[in-house]
Amino acid sequence: MNSIALQAHNPLRSYLLEAKYEFLRLWRTPSFVLPTLLFPSLFYLLFGVILNRSPGGEISQYLLATYGVFGIMGSALFGFGVTIAIEREQGLQRYKRALPMPPAALLVAKMAMAMIFASLISIMLAVIAATLAGVALAPVQWLLLFLVNVLGVLPFCAIGLWIGSLVAGSAAPAVVNILYLPMAFLSGLWMPLSILPALIAKAAPLWPSYHLAQIALKVVGRDAGGPLWQHLLVLAVVMLACFVLARRRLQAAD
Amino acid sequence: MSSSSIPALAELRGASKRYGKQLALDGVDLALHGGELLALLGPNGAGKTTAIGLLLGLLQADTGMVHLGGRPPQDLDARRTVGLMLQSAGIPETLKVGELLDLTRSYYPAPRSVADCVALAGLDGLLERRYGKLSGGQQRRVQFALALCGRPRVLFLDEPTTGLDIEARQGLWKAMRELVAEGCAVLLTTHYLEEAESLADRVVVLNNGRVVARGSVQEIRAHVAQRRIRCVSSIDPEHIANWPHVRSARLEAGRIDIVADLAESVVRRLLAEDAGLSDLEVQRAGLAEAFIELTREAA
């Protein structure tokens, strides 16, 4: 009897359920869902549509790319940074590690969750862009923009993971905001770098979000002209470094 | 005892664990056998959590041997034989009870049916409720259901009944007895002497990272004769502390708290000296507290 059950047991199912419930539990947390999903669309509506004198033009395209990056960065930083800090503090991480959960299931589930939120944000922005903002792109551009957003969450998941491994649960939202909002502004996500002071524009490549934004802007032909591999390299290095630092920190915590 | 010939389902042998300069566990032996409930007692900081952490593979022993069913506890297959209830699990509040069961059951090769979990842990009518909306007692019952849903051979229950009312506690006791009768090995930590008394086949008492006593409940109880007396009174606690049979007396939150070897004569004198005395309460001193006293005397 036992052996039949053993054969039927499929650890992959744990991965799927873990991702499903990770998504569901955040989906039912309005303080996460509302800002994460609505802020990028509202900002885009405000700056890309209402305050924009030339609908369908350069600004609408630029902001479509950068508010996508802004939005998915939020879902990754908050979805990872804050939840991991709280789970660490409240003992969920310890409990899950003691359970026979497949070791990577929680991390994979959180990544899947961030990618699902990223795709929702990306679709909402695309709908606003194609209708209200009058942005016209080739099908392949829409698709590429979507892919940049969905895959672009990964380096920010790693940054969030590292923050979550460092700070207390109650401090995590503040720490994430202190990083998130200035970084968004300084990388030209809210308004084009060309209209910001020269110093800010010059320092922008210091921020990982700048590099993802440049990739997204390349899709709509509005980037600053840096080579793609450079942006990818920076994001890969940031992702790997944060992941390694977070792992070391999480293991040392016990 | 007779159980020593049967291989243990989980075991610490001469296990030590150090945090910086502090020795949290000092050469501890602990063996869990099927069909037996072992109560692990001791004051806060005695090393109970560290011992459980080693057995669950959350911590690595500095010296000594740890195994779960003959395998290292980090081994995923070894942990599939284990169910656990920790003091704080931080279970997601927005998930429903049925969803939590669904997820936790997926970790195990041959989980119990949801209906069985509901019956054993007393979760009738709760499956559709969100965990965060439940009362403290209901949440403990859900945690208990999550601990037993995988049909574990070894069950770790870290203060499972803290914060439960008497009815809920007795419901949990009944379920624990059923699991032990099925052949499950249970490690229970608790602050309640009645709980250990009512459930445990064997008791191990830890203090400062060492085993200070082990044996059957009867053997351990022979060490513990103390009573705890609490009351509201105008008598000076320092005065009471000098009475015969009184071990200590102090004022705590407006009430006098007395530890005595013999309750009757102390109570008689309290009532004789203070006609206005109120809120009188007499308890057997906690097993763990008694052992703090014992180890203090030994030191």
Side-chain angles (χ1 to χ4, degrees), chain A residues 2 5-6 9 11 13-14 17-18 21 24-25 28-29 90-92 94-102 254, chain B residues 49 56 58-59 76 79-80 84 86 88-90 92 94-96 99 102-103 106-110 130 146:
Chain A
N2 260 348
L6 269 169
H9 178 240
R13 197 167 159 263
S14 295
L17 288 178
E18 200 76 51
Y21 290 128
L24 262 185
R25 87 181 168 106
R28 292 173 187 161
T29 308
Q90 297 184 341
L92 184 69
R94 190 178 136 87
Y95 177 61
K96 289 268 192 187
R97 267 195 301 128
L99 283 171
M101 175 186 72
D254 281 299
Chain B
T49 305
L56 288 173
L58 292 167
L59 303 169
L76 195 58
R79 284 212 309 280
R80 288 197 172 115
L84 61 141
L86 300 180
S88 61
T94 52
L95 289 184
K96 294 173 185 168
E99 295 168 343
D102 185 30
L103 177 62
S106 81
Y107 300 151
Y108 293 94
R130 286 192 188 184
L146 297 178

Side-chain angles (χ1 to χ4, degrees), chain A residues 12 27 31 43-44 53 69 77 87 101-102 105 122 148 215 243:
Chain A
L12 265 183
W27 183 251
S31 62
F43 284 159
Y44 185 57
R53 301 260 164 77
V69 171
L77 288 177
E87 286 169 10
M101 175 186 72
S122 195
V148 168
I215 297 175
F243 184 70

Side-chain angles (χ1 to χ4, degrees), chain B residues 12 25 39 128 177 190 212 215 222 241 272 284:
Chain B
L12 294 180
L25 222 51
E128 284 302 310
R177 286 199 193 95
T190 179
V212 293
R284 188 192 298 279

Side-chain angles (χ1 to χ4, degrees), chain B residues 164-182:
Chain B
L164 287 187
D165 61 37
I166 291 172
E167 204 183 332
R169 186 175 298 168
Q170 283 173 345
L172 221 58
W173 288 3
K174 182 168 164 278
M176 281 188 231
R177 286 199 193 95
E178 279 178 44
L179 292 168
V180 172
E182 279 176 19

Side-chain angles (χ1 to χ4, degrees), chain B residues 36-246:
Chain B
E36 203 177 80
L37 189 141
L38 174 73
L40 183 61
L41 305 178
N44 288 333
K48 290 173 295 186
T49 305
T50 305
I52 291 178
L54 289 177
L55 285 166
L56 288 173
L58 292 167
L59 303 169
Q60 288 271 9
D62 297 332
T63 58
M65 201 270 310
V66 185
H67 79 79
L68 258 183
R71 281 185 268 209
Q74 280 81 11
D75 184 305
L76 195 58
D77 278 328
R79 284 212 309 280
R80 288 197 172 115
T81 65
V82 165
L84 61 141
M85 188 168 165
L86 300 180
Q87 284 178 48
S88 61
I91 289 169
E93 301 204 330
T94 52
L95 289 184
K96 294 173 185 168
V97 173
E99 295 168 343
L100 292 167
L101 266 175
D102 185 30
L103 177 62
T104 310
R105 286 174 70 248
S106 81
Y107 300 151
Y108 293 94
R112 244 174 251 281
S113 71
V114 172
D116 279 0
C117 298
V118 168
L120 265 167
L123 298 183
D124 295 290
L126 297 185
L127 287 181
E128 284 302 310
R129 302 268 306 275
R130 286 192 188 184
Y131 182 77
K133 301 272 187 212
L134 302 178
S135 72
Q138 290 170 327
Q139 291 189 340
R140 293 308 268 173
R141 297 216 295 275
V142 172
Q143 292 170 22
F144 185 65
L146 297 178
L148 58 81
C149 73
R151 223 183 276 279
R153 291 168 68 204
V154 189
L155 197 56
F156 292 88
L157 303 173
D158 198 1
E159 296 188 16
T161 59
T162 303
L164 287 187
D165 61 37
I166 291 172
E167 204 183 332
R169 186 175 298 168
Q170 283 173 345
L172 221 58
W173 288 3
K174 182 168 164 278
M176 281 188 231
R177 286 199 193 95
E178 279 178 44
L179 292 168
V180 172
E182 279 176 19
C184 192
V186 180
L187 178 71
L188 170 79
T189 73
T190 179
H191 282 308
Y192 304 111
L193 175 58
E194 327 87 84
E195 191 157 293
E197 243 171 347
S198 157
L199 294 170
D201 300 292
R202 287 187 301 130
V203 175
V204 168
V205 182
L206 280 180
N207 193 30
N208 290 327
R210 287 168 171 273
V211 174
V212 293
R214 68 168 83 226
S216 68
V217 172
Q218 285 75 16
E219 286 165 338
I220 298 292
R221 278 204 43 189
H223 293 283
V224 188
Q226 292 165 21
R227 296 292 185 274
R228 162 155 284 172
I229 305 162
R230 290 195 184 90
C231 61
V232 175
S233 166
S234 55
I235 311 173
D236 181 4
E238 282 180 33
H239 171 56
I240 299 172
N242 293 322
W243 293 359
H245 307 301
V246 173

Side-chain angles (χ1 to χ4, degrees), chain A residues 17-225:
Chain A
L17 288 178
E18 200 76 51
K20 173 182 163 191
Y21 290 128
E22 184 67 26
F23 175 77
L24 262 185
R25 87 181 168 106
L26 282 171
W27 183 251
R28 292 173 187 161
T29 308
S31 62
F32 174 78
V33 172
L34 294 179
T36 304
L37 289 186
L38 293 186
F39 280 5
S41 297
L42 287 177
F43 284 159
Y44 185 57
L45 217 51
L46 186 63
F47 296 108
V49 179
I50 297 169
L51 298 178
N52 186 1
R53 301 260 164 77
S54 57
E58 185 188 346
I59 298 281
S60 308
Q61 288 192 359
Y62 182 99
L63 293 180
L64 168 64
T66 58
Y67 275 124
V69 171
F70 170 72
I72 63 106
M73 198 164 99
S75 78
L77 288 177
F78 284 99
F80 262 77
V82 178
T83 63
I84 287 193
I86 291 174
E87 286 169 10
R88 229 167 24 90
E89 200 166 85
Q90 297 184 341
L92 184 69
Q93 296 271 337
R94 190 178 136 87
Y95 177 61
K96 289 268 192 187
R97 267 195 301 128
L99 283 171
M101 175 186 72
L106 198 56
L107 194 66
V108 172
K110 282 182 190 298
M111 273 161 44
M113 174 277 303
M115 287 164 98
I116 293 170
F117 274 101
S119 51
L120 291 177
I121 293 165
S122 195
I123 291 167
M124 285 166 75
L125 284 173
V127 168
I128 297 172
T131 54
L132 299 172
V135 172
L137 294 177
V140 69
Q141 284 177 302
W142 288 115
L143 186 69
L144 279 176
L145 217 45
F146 180 78
L147 284 178
V148 168
N149 284 336
V150 172
L151 295 176
V153 291
L154 296 176
F156 298 96
C157 288
I159 297 174
L161 183 68
W162 186 40
I163 296 173
S165 73
L166 284 175
V167 303
S170 51
V175 172
V176 169
N177 269 320
I178 284 172
L179 183 78
Y180 176 46
L181 299 177
M183 194 159 85
F185 175 73
L186 296 173
S187 333
L189 301 188
W190 289 347
M191 46 192 84
L193 287 169
S194 52
I195 65 169
L196 291 174
L199 189 66
I200 291 180
K202 223 175 179 167
L206 287 173
W207 311 106
S209 47
Y210 168 84
H211 296 278
L212 186 61
Q214 288 301 309
I215 297 175
L217 287 166
K218 242 182 217 313
V219 174
V220 294
R222 307 273 169 213
D223 66 313

